[in-house]
Amino acid sequence: MSAIRYEAIKTCKQSGARLGRVHTPHGVIETPAFMPVGTLATVKAMSPDELKELDAHIILSNTYHLFLRPGHELIREAGGLHKFMSWDRPILTDSGGFQVFSLSEMRKISEEGVEFRSHLNGDKLFLSPETATDIQNALGSDIMMAFDECPPYPAEYDYVKQSTERTSRWAERCLQHHKRPEDQALFAIVQGGMYRDLREQSARELTSMDFPGYAIGGLSVGEPKHLMYEVLDYTVPHLPAGKPRYLMGVGSPDALVEGAIRGIDMFDCVLPTRIARNGTTMTSQGRLVVRNAKYAKDFGPLDPACSCYTCRTFSRAYIRHLFKCDEILGLRLTTWHNLHFLLELMRNVRQAIQEDRLLDFRDSFFQAYGLDKDDRGF
Amino acid sequence: MSAIRYEAIKTCKQSGARLGRVHTPHGVIETPAFMPVGTLATVKAMSPDELKELDAHIILSNTYHLFLRPGHELIREAGGLHKFMSWDRPILTDSGGFQVFSLSEMRKISEEGVEFRSHLNGDKLFLSPETATDIQNALGSDIMMAFDECPPYPAEYDYVKQSTERTSRWAERCLQHHKRPEDQALFAIVQGGMYRDLREQSARELTSMDFPGYAIGGLSVGEPKHLMYEVLDYTVPHLPAGKPRYLMGVGSPDALVEGAIRGIDMFDCVLPTRIARNGTTMTSQGRLVVRNAKYAKDFGPLDPACSCYTCRTFSRAYIRHLFKCDEILGLRLTTWHNLHFLLELMRNVRQAIQEDRLLDFRDSFFQAYGLDKDDRGF
């Protein structure tokens, strides 16, 4: 018996997108879902209560970062990550693979695993399929990710082929090493770069091992968007219909909608929270940089169409003032708003699937947001 | 008719402290009261809704800082400070006097006012009784402060005498210049340094002008605590019983209790919020520096006796982790806790006055907090 179960609700007749639910030990995730990122056991600037007010169903946290600080043994002693951070809804943890390849220094990759130096203090550390699995077992996340190698973009065919095959062997080792399959679901990560045959090979190898869910990794790493959509177009059909599909590291509004249309159920990205801390917000009319001088005397809300706490309560002029003065409330308010924006977008996407009109929704949403075909990668 | 009214409820038979209410255009302040400081139109790291959850009755904001950023004309255009920052309860604004003397550079004091350079960009600026009053009229605070000169500690008698007499003349000019006495109450500030005759002279001159309330300034500027209490002992009796008395810049738990015992109704201080941002908290057992290594695996709350959101929800180990990682939630949680601690202390003080046992309360509170006579300035 797997720790999670995917329940298919319906397929959008217009777009082919799917509406569903992922049942986990800590509750239900309605899909397609966006997962706010809580890198270090906190979604930056937000409290867990506020995330509930925003109705986030699940958050993501990072194995690599928690391994470094405060250490997974401490979190195990605390009773697991849910208890440590006071979040009783589902948590997904990544495997650390992506961070090892993007953040750390002096990586040495072998079949055994990856030796690297901490980006914080240069300490020599080692992650492998077994250690990444141990760490996630200590954290007690509802959904764990297999330890993978994420090739850069662009990358040569031969390198990606070797790396993809190693990712399959590593996935097998994670599965073997996993100690808590009854209450933690381990997802595999399909790699293969921008090569169709390698994506298909990866999907084939991994689905043969019967994981409770599958992610698509190695996208949103610098490639043009049309290429990402192309990869989704030929990869998703190779994933089993009865299990959740997770597109890693994607959180721009257009890619969330396009991903849902291509049958993706789950997304995560630091984008909404990261740009919020620089004073950039997502609104129904497109991006708005609230720090800009033109909002100095703008006493209207960030987004007149928005119903979030920030927009109900504060003006652009006030939020701009807070940013100009480096006041913490400023980035709290923009973070709140941006998360609301994406979570509300996903609620609208689910509603549109329910009503068989996701393509119509996409067109009107993109038009208001100011995205034309070029921006969207076509 | 004054904008505010002081309602005396009762005097503590044991201590002489008084319980009362200050009625303002934006609601009632139960006294003795602690006022959280919102320097730049935000109590650092807190939202206005959270301040209401903490049941803060009034907050303080700073004329000097708002004059520099975003400028009082912008706040006037926004509809006043309450509307600008979305706080519909009472606001007190200081006059800028203290900041001009403590923060700015190259002050030139004349009878007319003070020429100084901005601590932000060196711009040459000028504040006088008239401009400080204009600014506060633009802000629309419920309680405004007269523009005063705050002498340093220690200071020579002759200097303090001149300065105190000028503060009286400036107070008169503020009163004359004040445009909104019907909905903004202007308080005068008693100065006089550590000299009894000058304090008495200042109180006499200012009370003769019949302000709706009186502050005691020039304390908590580096003098030993016993000296501060001595000044209160001989100054408070010269203030009218029917009007509120505000001790400026005081917020240590012991001084709040000692001040209340000496007949003070209102206090403000950045202390609880400032130390919170460094990871220092106030607990019923005394100060606790949650950053300390010894709390790394302490899964209990900051203060087991505390009922605040932070203590109900999070552990010392988690909060320490947040501080070690410079996560914003960390200082949000300690700020929340410290403000709760002082607001709860004042609720307990009011209850003890009601029950004629404030001296008993002081003794047991100080004992638990770890304050002996020496710490308290005796």
Side-chain angles (χ1 to χ4, degrees), chain A residues 41 44 86 313 318 327 332, chain B residues 41 44 50 86 313 318 327:
Chain A
K44 288 189 193 303
S86 283
T313 318
Y318 180 64
E327 286 285 353
R332 286 185 57 190
Chain B
K44 287 189 195 301
E50 289 165 349
S86 283
T313 318
Y318 180 64
E327 285 286 352

Side-chain angles (χ1 to χ4, degrees), chain A residues 65-261:
Chain A
H65 290 285
L66 296 175
F67 174 51
L68 266 53
R69 294 181 299 185
H72 56 290
E73 287 303 339
L74 188 143
I75 293 178
R76 191 204 303 273
E77 275 184 62
L81 186 54
H82 292 86
K83 201 166 167 200
F84 183 60
M85 67 182 291
S86 283
W87 173 255
D88 58 9
R89 293 189 181 181
I91 298 176
L92 182 149
T93 46
D94 68 8
S95 65
F98 181 77
Q99 282 75 29
V100 165
F101 292 98
S102 62
L103 279 183
S104 71
E105 282 164 35
M106 295 189 50
R107 286 176 299 281
K108 230 173 76 187
I109 309 171
S110 65
E111 185 63 21
E112 180 56 22
V114 186
E115 192 183 282
F116 62 96
R117 288 189 181 276
S118 157
H119 75 288
L120 295 172
N121 58 13
D123 279 1
K124 199 182 280 189
L125 297 166
F126 184 74
L127 275 181
S128 68
E130 288 75 17
T131 54
T133 305
D134 281 339
I135 294 168
Q136 294 180 84
N137 280 160
L139 300 176
S141 46
D142 300 84
I143 299 175
M144 304 162 46
M145 302 305 298
F147 189 68
D148 64 329
E149 187 188 337
C150 180
Y153 174 82
E156 293 294 328
Y157 182 86
D158 287 348
Y159 175 80
V160 178
K161 185 170 170 66
Q162 279 185 12
S163 149
T164 302
E165 289 171 355
R166 182 157 49 213
T167 288
S168 292
R169 292 190 297 274
W170 284 1
E172 170 82 43
R173 281 165 56 189
C174 290
L175 202 56
Q176 294 305 323
H177 197 76
H178 183 19
K179 304 288 197 301
R180 300 171 57 180
E182 71 293 340
D183 70 341
Q184 294 186 271
L186 176 66
F187 282 23
I189 303 174
V190 174
Q191 291 288 357
M194 309 302 155
Y195 301 104
R196 180 167 186 160
D197 64 317
L198 297 181
R199 286 282 173 184
E200 288 172 351
Q201 178 186 345
S202 179
R204 196 169 52 242
E205 290 173 0
L206 295 171
T207 54
S208 76
M209 294 180 229
D210 198 24
F211 285 87
Y214 293 89
I216 299 177
L219 291 179
S220 200
V221 290
E223 78 285 4
K225 274 188 179 161
H226 71 87
L227 205 49
M228 172 166 84
Y229 299 144
E230 209 181 295
V231 173
L232 293 181
D233 283 333
Y234 59 61
T235 305
V236 173
H238 296 277
L239 301 178
K243 294 177 177 178
R245 304 159 182 163
Y246 159 32
L247 175 55
M248 306 183 81
V250 164
S252 67
D254 48 333
L256 292 175
V257 178
E258 296 289 355
I261 287 171

